[in-house]
Amino acid sequence: RATLGARLLGQRNVAEILRRGEAADGEALRPDQTLQEALAAFLTRRVERLPVVDAQAAPLGAIRFIDLLRDPP
């Protein structure tokens, strides 16, 4: 079951769970990064929320760790 969850995180991307307009501090993720990459960033940085920026580094919003644990829409 854990392996399936890891595979699913690798197939979905940050844009799918982005909370538009929400702010967060720290090194930002891009919307095209996988949720598996986001999970690694959360664990490495030990934070609950990460900012998301576009290709020009303009803020798009944020994602929260808890969002990784929720069922996909």
Side-chain angles (χ1 to χ4, degrees), residues 1-56:
R1 206 176 152 148
T3 304
L4 174 61
R7 268 190 283 156
L8 289 175
L9 287 178
Q11 294 174 357
R12 297 179 62 216
N13 63 37
V14 168
E16 295 178 48
I17 63 168
L18 176 64
R19 293 172 178 253
R20 292 202 175 271
E22 192 169 303
D25 294 324
E27 188 178 338
L29 299 173
R30 295 178 325 275
D32 62 334
Q33 286 183 269
T34 66
L35 295 184
Q36 193 169 26
E37 292 171 312
L39 176 60
F42 277 115
L43 296 175
T44 300
R45 299 173 196 166
R46 296 182 177 169
V47 295
E48 300 268 333
R49 190 182 326 184
L50 290 168
V52 180
V53 299
D54 66 16
Q56 290 75 39

